[in-house]
Amino acid sequence: MAAVLGISGEYHDAAAALVVDGAIVAAVQEERLSRIKNDARLPIDAARACLAHAGLAPGDLDRVVFYEDPIEKLERVLVSTLRTFPRALRQFPRAIGAQLGGKVWVIDRIAEQLGVDRARVASTGHHRAHAASAFFVSGYPRAAVLTVDGVGEATSTALWHGDGRDLRELGRIEYPHSLGLLYAGLTAYLGFEVNEGEYKVMGLAAHGRPDLRDEFARLIELHPDGTFELGLPYFAHLADTELGFGPAMERLLGPRRPPHRPWDLDAPDDRRYADIAATLQQVTEEALLGLAREARRRTGEPALCLAGGVALNAVANARLAREAGFERIFVQPAAGDAGGALGAAILGALELGDPRPAALTSAALGLPLDVAATASLARALGLAVRTSGNVAAEVAGMLAGGKIVAFCQGRFEWGPRALGQRSILADPSDPASRERLNRAIKRREPFRPFAPAVLRDRAAEYFPGAPSDLTPFMTTVCPIADRHRDRLAAVRHADGTARVQTVTADSAPELAAVLGALDRTIGMPIALNTSLNGAGEPIIGDGTDALGFLLGHPIDALVAGDLVITRGAA
């Protein structure tokens, strides 16, 4: 039996995950501690937090595994920049400097900063770590596995066959042809931040029409065997990693949308940008369908696992579930680069002879809320603090009365979705709550949808297609049943779907209790659930962060453990 720490970082979404004796003990993204959105730094604080939670010291670790091969990545950066010289002249010093200035020595830096013997620190492949992060926690004995992201070392997409404790690669697509970079380039073109705004594009797509297929045929060519090629002259990721698209794209699609300009979907320009988003979403779905159908053909397996940042596209996942020919589909909740830390840890544990982890049923893998410390600080800040005798009933009553509540319980979530540990809850039927959340609290674009959390055993009444292996972690969308469309106006997206989270007493006991109380109060076991964070901020980590949110945003109450905290005199 062994203790293995997995680490991802040095690009975006740095994280650490700890596996002990084959069990996942903790998984923490660095941003939750540093309060820097998508913090890319080597996650030493997250690593130490995982160890402290388990009561271990660095010397207790049998192995530390980094989620990609730094030498292979250096080789890809060198080759790709030299191939595009002189177009990459401006990018070359920065790219090579970043690699030689620290990234290529990441294994040594991990050993030094953690205080671990260098001989115990190793690396694995980026896409192998992604594949492991999904397959080995899926609970499936065998499965096809697809890993789809921007780029890891030289690979952007890979097909795997998972069987018991083994993962075998069956094929790959290499950089610069990448669905992740296609989506990233269009994300930047639409005025959003890369590695942050892709989910905004997915929300915007529902407001447009996919009418630009002729133009997109020049951006990406899909082949019958599931492979694809980008129209490289339209992209700039070989020469400008910050922008991702080139002047040719603006000649093809028109001028880029200015960042930070307010959206008006009644204006012709913004309607066209919505059409571009809709076309991008449709093409991405078709590319993923091609890959998934080839995976089904090559492996013959009835189950599919997905990982990589593109696997967080919930709308595409729903289409895969309908059309790809698989009986079951699973996406690990931290499917992006953060999840690579978990995959690296699992691979290290398996190599040391530990058993495969149990199926993942909850994303509550972070650090626990210190309720006593939260109460003490709240009182010191002059806030009203009281202990509730029935948290579920009280929260349900507040939501039914139109109030918006920050809800902090237990250990914070692993991944980008708030699943009831660090959530904002509201009435799912009241459009006024949705507008208040978007405008005054979250301060985000008006086309962004909110998600419903629903008791799993009641989900099918409201959301055809739920529950499934995708719904516990909010990695798919489902249509809203016609008879409930008006009652669920606050969580209904423009296309009539919702990104559903199904909840059980095991996966999120406190949220499940609130949903049960809501059923008795409003006649539906459903709450609007969105992440507890402000614009441009990571999701809340500890009680201090939660109190700061209460003081800085016009919510009605913070419920932390069994505490109800509000502004005003105690």
Side-chain angles (χ1 to χ4, degrees):
M1 297 296 187
V4 181
L5 183 73
I7 287 181
S8 66
E10 299 285 79
Y11 181 46
H12 64 94
D13 287 343
L18 181 64
V19 173
V20 179
D21 298 344
I24 302 167
V25 173
V28 174
Q29 290 166 257
E30 186 77 0
E31 68 169 20
R32 299 295 184 94
L33 307 180
S34 69
R35 308 307 303 155
I36 300 170
K37 184 72 172 175
N38 296 324
D39 196 343
R41 295 175 299 178
L42 206 59
I44 300 302
D45 287 342
R48 289 174 175 153
C50 288
L51 291 171
H53 180 77
L56 299 177
D60 298 320
L61 290 169
D62 295 283
R63 186 171 293 178
V64 180
V65 184
F66 188 61
Y67 82 132
E68 66 182 11
D69 184 330
I71 302 300
E72 188 177 340
K73 185 167 186 176
L74 171 63
E75 179 181 348
R76 188 263 298 170
V77 171
L78 280 168
V79 170
S80 63
T81 51
L82 289 173
R83 278 179 178 170
T84 54
F85 190 86
R87 282 195 298 127
L89 181 61
R90 186 170 68 88
Q91 182 65 19
F92 184 81
R94 183 187 306 174
I96 300 305
Q99 297 299 316
L100 295 180
K103 292 183 179 181
V104 75
W105 312 113
V106 66
I107 304 301
D108 301 272
R109 290 167 54 215
I110 290 171
E112 179 182 356
Q113 293 183 39
L114 270 183
V116 177
D117 187 340
R118 172 62 178 79
R120 296 186 182 186
V121 185
S123 66
T124 189
H126 182 104
H127 277 259
R128 181 170 289 275
H130 272 320
S133 77
F135 173 62
F136 290 125
V137 303
S138 67
Y140 303 157
R142 296 164 57 95
V145 185
L146 279 173
T147 56
V148 190
D149 66 3
V151 59
E153 292 106 3
T155 302
S156 72
T157 305
L159 166 60
W160 309 78
H161 187 204
D163 185 357
R165 294 166 52 89
D166 298 320
L167 268 174
R168 182 167 59 95
E169 184 180 339
L170 301 181
R172 66 172 64 182
I173 298 171
E174 295 199 341
Y175 177 90
H177 303 287
S178 163
L179 284 181
L181 293 177
L182 168 74
Y183 217 93
L186 270 297
T187 294
Y189 170 87
L190 290 168
F192 302 119
E193 185 178 347
V194 174
N195 294 323
E196 169 63 18
E198 283 82 354
Y199 57 90
K200 300 180 183 181
V201 176
M202 184 175 65
L204 175 63
H207 294 265
R209 298 178 300 180
D211 290 343
L212 287 89
R213 293 302 300 261
D214 290 344
E215 290 87 344
F216 270 74
R218 301 170 71 176
L219 298 179
I220 183 170
E221 182 180 0
L222 306 181
H223 301 305
D225 64 353
T227 61
F228 54 84
E229 294 179 74
L230 295 191
L232 295 179
Y234 297 95
F235 296 89
H237 50 259
L238 290 167
D240 187 338
T241 57
E242 294 180 1
L243 193 59
F245 66 91
M249 186 176 289
E250 293 194 82
R251 290 194 294 270
L252 178 68
L253 299 178
R256 68 177 295 190
R257 191 180 193 279
H260 311 301
R261 190 181 77 187
W263 281 85
D264 178 5
L265 291 174
D266 292 324
D269 281 356
D270 279 354
R271 287 202 303 271
R272 178 171 171 81
Y273 290 125
D275 292 344
I276 290 170
T279 310
L280 170 63
Q281 178 64 31
Q282 186 180 82
V283 168
T284 300
E285 292 171 16
E286 291 174 2
L288 287 170
L289 269 172
L291 290 166
R293 286 168 175 160
E294 181 67 7
R296 180 81 172 92
R297 186 189 71 80
R298 293 277 300 275
T299 67
E301 298 293 352
L304 172 68
C305 298
L306 291 164
V310 178
L312 289 171
N313 191 310
V315 178
N317 293 341
R319 190 166 175 193
L320 292 179
R322 293 192 306 268
E323 301 179 30
F326 289 94
E327 297 172 12
R328 304 179 71 182
I329 298 180
F330 175 78
V331 176
Q332 189 255 125
D337 270 16
L342 178 60
I346 293 170
L347 287 168
L350 291 172
E351 288 172 5
L352 292 174
D354 277 356
R356 178 177 162 173
L360 192 65
T361 58
S362 172
L365 299 174
L367 303 182
L369 179 72
D370 188 331
V371 177
T374 302
S376 178
L377 178 58
R379 292 187 177 100
L381 292 169
L383 297 169
V385 183
R386 59 183 176 80
T387 300
S388 173
N390 189 334
V391 168
E394 189 156 352
V395 170
M398 286 190 282
L399 301 186
K403 293 187 175 181
I404 295 174
V405 177
F407 193 65
C408 289
Q409 303 292 327
R411 300 170 67 181
F412 60 70
E413 296 93 342
W414 170 239
R417 308 288 185 233
L419 300 170
Q421 312 302 120
R422 304 291 185 271
S423 290
I424 299 173
L425 303 180
D427 182 349
S429 63
D430 185 5
S433 295
R434 179 186 62 198
E435 298 308 314
R436 181 181 163 202
L437 272 166
N438 257 338
R439 184 183 63 257
I441 298 174
K442 301 287 282 188
R443 299 167 191 160
R444 61 185 206 169
E445 297 82 3
F447 54 77
R448 302 266 299 280
F450 290 109
V454 58
L455 286 177
R456 178 183 173 88
D457 61 2
R458 300 282 303 282
E461 298 174 33
Y462 301 92
F463 308 103
S468 72
D469 292 349
L470 293 167
T471 56
F473 301 120
M474 209 187 287
T475 53
T476 191
V477 299
C478 299
I480 297 175
D482 289 344
R483 65 185 182 280
H484 295 298
R485 286 173 62 88
D486 292 338
R487 296 185 71 201
L488 293 171
V491 295
R492 188 183 71 236
H493 198 24
D495 59 3
T497 67
R499 193 177 67 203
V500 177
Q501 176 200 359
T502 50
V503 181
T504 68
D506 291 330
S507 66
E510 297 87 359
L511 179 58
V514 169
L515 298 178
L518 277 169
D519 194 25
R520 296 185 290 274
T521 305
I522 66 172
M524 295 188 297
I526 303 173
L528 182 156
N529 174 21
T530 189
S531 55
L532 180 51
N533 63 301
E537 300 174 348
I539 299 175
I540 293 306
D542 62 18
T544 300
D545 302 333
L547 290 169
F549 186 90
L550 171 65
L551 291 170
H553 299 81
I555 56 172
D556 297 300
L558 164 65
V559 175
D562 61 353
L563 303 176
V564 178
I565 305 172
T566 55
R567 301 179 197 84

